[in-house]
Amino acid sequence: MHCPFCRHPDSRVVDSREAEDGAAIRRRRSCPECGRRFTTVETASLSVLKRSGATEPFSRAKVVAGVRKACSGRPVGEDALAVLAQQVEETIRATGAAEVAAHEVGLAILPPLRDLDEVAYMRFASVYRAFDSLADFEAEILALRADQVLDEAAEAAFADASAVARFGGAHDPAPPPVHASFAAP
Ligand SMILES: [Zn+2]
Protein backbone atom coordinates (compact mmCIF):
# COMPACT_ATOMS: atom_id res chain seq x y z
CA MET A 1 0.00 0.00 0.00
CA HIS A 2 1.45 3.33 -1.00
CA CYS A 3 2.20 6.14 1.44
CA PRO A 4 -0.71 8.65 1.63
CA PHE A 5 1.75 11.49 2.23
CA CYS A 6 4.45 11.05 -0.42
CA ARG A 7 2.90 8.28 -2.57
CA HIS A 8 5.94 6.07 -2.08
CA PRO A 9 4.75 2.66 -3.37
CA ASP A 10 5.76 0.70 -0.28
CA SER A 11 5.24 0.87 3.48
CA ARG A 12 6.33 -1.16 6.47
CA VAL A 13 3.92 -2.56 9.08
CA VAL A 14 5.15 -1.59 12.54
CA ASP A 15 2.19 -2.82 14.59
CA SER A 16 -0.95 -4.92 14.03
CA ARG A 17 -3.80 -5.31 16.44
CA GLU A 18 -7.31 -6.61 16.43
CA ALA A 19 -10.07 -4.03 16.51
CA GLU A 20 -13.85 -4.12 16.85
CA ASP A 21 -13.83 -7.49 18.65
CA GLY A 22 -11.85 -9.19 15.95
CA ALA A 23 -13.95 -7.91 13.04
CA ALA A 24 -11.07 -5.72 11.90
CA ILE A 25 -7.29 -5.51 11.96
CA ARG A 26 -5.68 -2.15 12.52
CA ARG A 27 -2.13 -1.80 11.16
CA ARG A 28 0.26 0.97 12.01
CA ARG A 29 2.52 1.55 8.99
CA SER A 30 5.65 3.52 8.45
CA CYS A 31 6.88 4.98 5.15
CA PRO A 32 10.54 4.18 4.44
CA GLU A 33 10.74 7.20 2.13
CA CYS A 34 9.33 10.10 4.20
CA GLY A 35 9.27 8.39 7.59
CA ARG A 36 5.67 9.36 8.34
CA ARG A 37 3.26 6.92 9.94
CA PHE A 38 -0.32 6.07 9.07
CA THR A 39 -2.93 3.50 10.04
CA THR A 40 -4.87 1.12 7.84
CA VAL A 41 -7.92 -0.86 8.88
CA GLU A 42 -8.59 -4.21 7.28
CA THR A 43 -12.09 -5.73 7.37
CA ALA A 44 -13.80 -8.45 5.37
CA SER A 45 -15.44 -6.72 2.45
CA LEU A 46 -19.17 -6.20 2.77
CA SER A 47 -21.07 -4.69 -0.13
CA VAL A 48 -24.57 -3.38 -0.33
CA LEU A 49 -26.50 -4.02 -3.51
CA LYS A 50 -28.74 -1.07 -4.25
CA ARG A 51 -32.03 -1.18 -6.10
CA SER A 52 -30.34 0.49 -9.07
CA GLY A 53 -28.07 -2.57 -9.37
CA ALA A 54 -25.00 -0.63 -8.22
CA THR A 55 -23.01 -1.88 -5.24
CA GLU A 56 -21.23 0.18 -2.63
CA PRO A 57 -19.27 -0.72 0.50
CA PHE A 58 -21.40 -1.13 3.64
CA SER A 59 -21.14 2.06 5.64
CA ARG A 60 -22.08 2.53 9.27
CA ALA A 61 -22.10 6.27 8.61
CA LYS A 62 -24.92 5.77 6.11
CA VAL A 63 -26.90 3.70 8.60
CA VAL A 64 -26.44 6.45 11.19
CA ALA A 65 -27.45 9.14 8.68
CA GLY A 66 -30.62 7.27 7.75
CA VAL A 67 -31.63 6.58 11.33
CA ARG A 68 -30.70 10.06 12.55
CA LYS A 69 -33.42 11.53 10.34
CA ALA A 70 -36.01 9.28 11.94
CA CYS A 71 -34.70 10.31 15.39
CA SER A 72 -35.13 14.03 14.78
CA GLY A 73 -36.41 15.66 17.97
CA ARG A 74 -36.16 12.38 19.90
CA PRO A 75 -33.90 11.81 22.91
CA VAL A 76 -31.45 9.64 20.99
CA GLY A 77 -27.78 10.61 21.17
CA GLU A 78 -24.95 10.07 18.73
CA ASP A 79 -23.50 7.34 20.94
CA ALA A 80 -26.72 5.36 20.73
CA LEU A 81 -26.75 5.78 16.94
CA ALA A 82 -23.17 4.51 16.73
CA VAL A 83 -24.06 1.46 18.83
CA LEU A 84 -27.09 0.80 16.63
CA ALA A 85 -24.99 0.99 13.45
CA GLN A 86 -22.52 -1.46 14.98
CA GLN A 87 -25.37 -3.85 15.86
CA VAL A 88 -26.66 -3.60 12.30
CA GLU A 89 -23.23 -4.39 10.88
CA GLU A 90 -22.78 -7.34 13.25
CA THR A 91 -26.20 -8.71 12.30
CA ILE A 92 -25.37 -8.52 8.62
CA ARG A 93 -21.84 -9.89 8.98
CA ALA A 94 -23.24 -12.78 11.03
CA THR A 95 -25.09 -13.98 7.93
CA GLY A 96 -21.68 -14.60 6.35
CA ALA A 97 -22.71 -12.98 3.08
CA ALA A 98 -20.19 -10.73 1.32
CA GLU A 99 -22.99 -8.81 -0.36
CA VAL A 100 -26.43 -7.90 0.97
CA ALA A 101 -29.38 -6.15 -0.61
CA ALA A 102 -30.09 -2.64 0.63
CA HIS A 103 -33.48 -3.72 1.97
CA GLU A 104 -31.75 -6.28 4.20
CA VAL A 105 -29.81 -3.44 5.79
CA GLY A 106 -33.15 -1.75 6.44
CA LEU A 107 -34.54 -4.94 7.97
CA ALA A 108 -31.51 -5.22 10.26
CA ILE A 109 -32.08 -1.63 11.44
CA LEU A 110 -35.67 -2.21 12.57
CA PRO A 111 -35.22 -4.38 15.72
CA PRO A 112 -32.47 -2.30 17.41
CA LEU A 113 -34.26 0.94 16.48
CA ARG A 114 -37.45 -0.37 18.03
CA ASP A 115 -35.54 -1.00 21.27
CA LEU A 116 -34.02 2.47 21.10
CA ASP A 117 -37.04 4.68 20.44
CA GLU A 118 -40.53 3.63 19.41
CA VAL A 119 -41.44 6.92 17.76
CA ALA A 120 -38.27 6.90 15.66
CA TYR A 121 -38.98 3.28 14.86
CA MET A 122 -42.49 4.10 13.63
CA ARG A 123 -41.12 6.91 11.45
CA PHE A 124 -38.41 4.71 9.97
CA ALA A 125 -40.72 1.73 9.49
CA SER A 126 -43.38 3.89 7.83
CA VAL A 127 -40.92 5.04 5.19
CA TYR A 128 -38.99 1.83 4.90
CA ARG A 129 -41.99 -0.44 4.69
CA ALA A 130 -43.87 2.16 2.66
CA PHE A 131 -46.89 2.42 4.97
CA ASP A 132 -49.57 3.92 2.78
CA SER A 133 -52.58 3.94 5.03
CA LEU A 134 -53.57 4.54 8.65
CA ALA A 135 -54.33 0.82 8.84
CA ASP A 136 -50.61 0.09 8.34
CA PHE A 137 -49.77 2.38 11.27
CA GLU A 138 -52.50 0.82 13.39
CA ALA A 139 -51.25 -2.68 12.70
CA GLU A 140 -47.70 -1.68 13.64
CA ILE A 141 -48.86 0.08 16.82
CA LEU A 142 -50.91 -2.97 17.79
CA ALA A 143 -47.81 -5.14 17.33
CA LEU A 144 -45.77 -2.73 19.50
CA ARG A 145 -48.51 -2.70 22.18
CA ALA A 146 -48.71 -6.49 22.19
CA ASP A 147 -44.98 -6.65 22.84
CA GLN A 148 -45.29 -4.01 25.56
CA VAL A 149 -47.94 -6.09 27.33
CA LEU A 150 -45.58 -9.06 27.27
CA ASP A 151 -42.72 -6.90 28.57
CA GLU A 152 -44.91 -5.51 31.34
CA ALA A 153 -46.07 -8.99 32.31
CA ALA A 154 -42.45 -10.11 32.51
CA GLU A 155 -41.56 -7.04 34.59
CA ALA A 156 -44.54 -7.58 36.89
CA ALA A 157 -43.52 -11.18 37.46
CA PHE A 158 -40.04 -9.98 38.35
CA ALA A 159 -41.44 -7.24 40.61
CA ASP A 160 -43.58 -9.77 42.49
CA ALA A 161 -40.54 -11.88 43.18
CA SER A 162 -38.45 -8.92 44.34
CA ALA A 163 -41.28 -7.35 46.41
CA VAL A 164 -40.69 -9.95 49.07
CA ALA A 165 -37.18 -8.66 49.52
CA ARG A 166 -38.09 -4.97 49.20
CA PHE A 167 -40.78 -5.08 51.89
CA GLY A 168 -43.00 -2.18 50.93
CA GLY A 169 -42.74 0.57 48.32
CA ALA A 170 -44.11 4.11 48.24
CA HIS A 171 -47.66 2.99 47.54
CA ASP A 172 -47.73 -0.05 49.75
CA PRO A 173 -49.65 0.09 53.02
CA ALA A 174 -47.48 0.31 56.08
CA PRO A 175 -46.48 -3.10 57.33
CA PRO A 176 -48.44 -4.24 60.37
CA PRO A 177 -46.74 -3.55 63.70
CA VAL A 178 -44.79 -6.47 65.00
CA HIS A 179 -45.63 -7.53 68.52
CA ALA A 180 -42.92 -9.46 70.14
CA SER A 181 -42.94 -10.68 73.63
CA PHE A 182 -39.80 -11.57 75.43
CA ALA A 183 -39.82 -13.87 78.31
CA ALA A 184 -37.96 -12.39 81.29
CA PRO A 185 -35.07 -14.53 82.33
ZN1 LIG B 1 5.92 8.65 2.56
PDB file of all heavy atoms in Angstrom, residues 3-8 31-36, ligand 1:
ATOM      1  N   CYS A   3       2.246   5.161   0.352  1.00  0.00           N
ATOM      2  CA  CYS A   3       2.196   6.142   1.438  1.00  0.00           C
ATOM      3  C   CYS A   3       1.218   7.268   1.064  1.00  0.00           C
ATOM      4  O   CYS A   3       1.320   7.837  -0.026  1.00  0.00           O
ATOM      5  CB  CYS A   3       3.593   6.706   1.668  1.00  0.00           C
ATOM      6  SG  CYS A   3       3.601   8.147   2.752  1.00  0.00           S
ATOM      7  N   PRO A   4       0.267   7.594   1.956  1.00  0.00           N
ATOM      8  CA  PRO A   4      -0.705   8.647   1.627  1.00  0.00           C
ATOM      9  C   PRO A   4      -0.087  10.045   1.632  1.00  0.00           C
ATOM     10  O   PRO A   4      -0.705  10.997   1.156  1.00  0.00           O
ATOM     11  CB  PRO A   4      -1.770   8.512   2.721  1.00  0.00           C
ATOM     12  CG  PRO A   4      -1.085   7.841   3.855  1.00  0.00           C
ATOM     13  CD  PRO A   4      -0.006   6.975   3.270  1.00  0.00           C
ATOM     14  N   PHE A   5       1.120  10.153   2.173  1.00  0.00           N
ATOM     15  CA  PHE A   5       1.746  11.487   2.234  1.00  0.00           C
ATOM     16  C   PHE A   5       2.617  11.757   1.005  1.00  0.00           C
ATOM     17  O   PHE A   5       2.491  12.787   0.368  1.00  0.00           O
ATOM     18  CB  PHE A   5       2.581  11.615   3.512  1.00  0.00           C
ATOM     19  CG  PHE A   5       1.773  11.404   4.760  1.00  0.00           C
ATOM     20  CD1 PHE A   5       1.872  10.214   5.473  1.00  0.00           C
ATOM     21  CD2 PHE A   5       0.897  12.381   5.205  1.00  0.00           C
ATOM     22  CE1 PHE A   5       1.117  10.014   6.619  1.00  0.00           C
ATOM     23  CE2 PHE A   5       0.141  12.186   6.346  1.00  0.00           C
ATOM     24  CZ  PHE A   5       0.248  10.993   7.053  1.00  0.00           C
ATOM     25  N   CYS A   6       3.504  10.794   0.683  1.00  0.00           N
ATOM     26  CA  CYS A   6       4.446  11.046  -0.417  1.00  0.00           C
ATOM     27  C   CYS A   6       4.225  10.104  -1.605  1.00  0.00           C
ATOM     28  O   CYS A   6       4.945  10.180  -2.591  1.00  0.00           O
ATOM     29  CB  CYS A   6       5.888  10.932   0.083  1.00  0.00           C
ATOM     30  SG  CYS A   6       6.389   9.228   0.437  1.00  0.00           S
ATOM     31  N   ARG A   7       3.224   9.216  -1.490  1.00  0.00           N
ATOM     32  CA  ARG A   7       2.897   8.282  -2.572  1.00  0.00           C
ATOM     33  C   ARG A   7       3.983   7.243  -2.829  1.00  0.00           C
ATOM     34  O   ARG A   7       3.973   6.580  -3.859  1.00  0.00           O
ATOM     35  CB  ARG A   7       2.569   9.006  -3.899  1.00  0.00           C
ATOM     36  CG  ARG A   7       1.688  10.239  -3.757  1.00  0.00           C
ATOM     37  CD  ARG A   7       0.256   9.925  -3.492  1.00  0.00           C
ATOM     38  NE  ARG A   7      -0.416   9.212  -4.573  1.00  0.00           N
ATOM     39  CZ  ARG A   7      -1.680   8.790  -4.491  1.00  0.00           C
ATOM     40  NH1 ARG A   7      -2.372   8.995  -3.387  1.00  0.00           N
ATOM     41  NH2 ARG A   7      -2.230   8.144  -5.487  1.00  0.00           N
ATOM     42  N   HIS A   8       4.933   7.119  -1.931  1.00  0.00           N
ATOM     43  CA  HIS A   8       5.938   6.070  -2.079  1.00  0.00           C
ATOM     44  C   HIS A   8       5.189   4.733  -2.158  1.00  0.00           C
ATOM     45  O   HIS A   8       4.267   4.493  -1.381  1.00  0.00           O
ATOM     46  CB  HIS A   8       6.892   6.089  -0.873  1.00  0.00           C
ATOM     47  CG  HIS A   8       8.014   5.104  -0.995  1.00  0.00           C
ATOM     48  ND1 HIS A   8       9.054   5.274  -1.865  1.00  0.00           N
ATOM     49  CD2 HIS A   8       8.250   3.928  -0.351  1.00  0.00           C
ATOM     50  CE1 HIS A   8       9.886   4.251  -1.768  1.00  0.00           C
ATOM     51  NE2 HIS A   8       9.426   3.412  -0.843  1.00  0.00           N
ATOM     52  N   CYS A  31       6.387   4.802   6.515  1.00  0.00           N
ATOM     53  CA  CYS A  31       6.877   4.978   5.146  1.00  0.00           C
ATOM     54  C   CYS A  31       8.407   5.057   5.173  1.00  0.00           C
ATOM     55  O   CYS A  31       8.972   5.906   5.860  1.00  0.00           O
ATOM     56  CB  CYS A  31       6.297   6.265   4.555  1.00  0.00           C
ATOM     57  SG  CYS A  31       7.010   6.669   2.944  1.00  0.00           S
ATOM     58  N   PRO A  32       9.074   4.154   4.433  1.00  0.00           N
ATOM     59  CA  PRO A  32      10.539   4.176   4.437  1.00  0.00           C
ATOM     60  C   PRO A  32      11.100   5.396   3.695  1.00  0.00           C
ATOM     61  O   PRO A  32      12.263   5.751   3.869  1.00  0.00           O
ATOM     62  CB  PRO A  32      10.914   2.874   3.712  1.00  0.00           C
ATOM     63  CG  PRO A  32       9.733   2.525   2.882  1.00  0.00           C
ATOM     64  CD  PRO A  32       8.531   3.100   3.567  1.00  0.00           C
ATOM     65  N   GLU A  33      10.270   6.051   2.915  1.00  0.00           N
ATOM     66  CA  GLU A  33      10.740   7.196   2.135  1.00  0.00           C
ATOM     67  C   GLU A  33      10.685   8.494   2.953  1.00  0.00           C
ATOM     68  O   GLU A  33      11.694   9.164   3.122  1.00  0.00           O
ATOM     69  CB  GLU A  33       9.884   7.323   0.859  1.00  0.00           C
ATOM     70  CG  GLU A  33      10.315   8.406  -0.094  1.00  0.00           C
ATOM     71  CD  GLU A  33      11.682   8.152  -0.728  1.00  0.00           C
ATOM     72  OE1 GLU A  33      12.125   6.981  -0.754  1.00  0.00           O
ATOM     73  OE2 GLU A  33      12.316   9.135  -1.154  1.00  0.00           O
ATOM     74  N   CYS A  34       9.474   8.823   3.478  1.00  0.00           N
ATOM     75  CA  CYS A  34       9.332  10.097   4.195  1.00  0.00           C
ATOM     76  C   CYS A  34       9.312   9.904   5.713  1.00  0.00           C
ATOM     77  O   CYS A  34       9.363  10.874   6.453  1.00  0.00           O
ATOM     78  CB  CYS A  34       8.080  10.845   3.737  1.00  0.00           C
ATOM     79  SG  CYS A  34       6.533  10.085   4.280  1.00  0.00           S
ATOM     80  N   GLY A  35       9.212   8.657   6.153  1.00  0.00           N
ATOM     81  CA  GLY A  35       9.271   8.387   7.587  1.00  0.00           C
ATOM     82  C   GLY A  35       7.967   8.645   8.328  1.00  0.00           C
ATOM     83  O   GLY A  35       7.890   8.445   9.537  1.00  0.00           O
ATOM     84  N   ARG A  36       6.926   9.071   7.638  1.00  0.00           N
ATOM     85  CA  ARG A  36       5.674   9.356   8.340  1.00  0.00           C
ATOM     86  C   ARG A  36       4.909   8.065   8.576  1.00  0.00           C
ATOM     87  O   ARG A  36       5.112   7.057   7.903  1.00  0.00           O
ATOM     88  CB  ARG A  36       4.836  10.352   7.540  1.00  0.00           C
ATOM     89  CG  ARG A  36       5.569  11.688   7.443  1.00  0.00           C
ATOM     90  CD  ARG A  36       4.815  12.644   6.580  1.00  0.00           C
ATOM     91  NE  ARG A  36       3.817  13.379   7.347  1.00  0.00           N
ATOM     92  CZ  ARG A  36       3.206  14.453   6.882  1.00  0.00           C
ATOM     93  NH1 ARG A  36       3.482  14.885   5.665  1.00  0.00           N
ATOM     94  NH2 ARG A  36       2.331  15.089   7.617  1.00  0.00           N
TER      95      ARG A  36
HETATM   96 ZN    ZN B   1       5.924   8.649   2.556  1.00  0.00          ZN
END
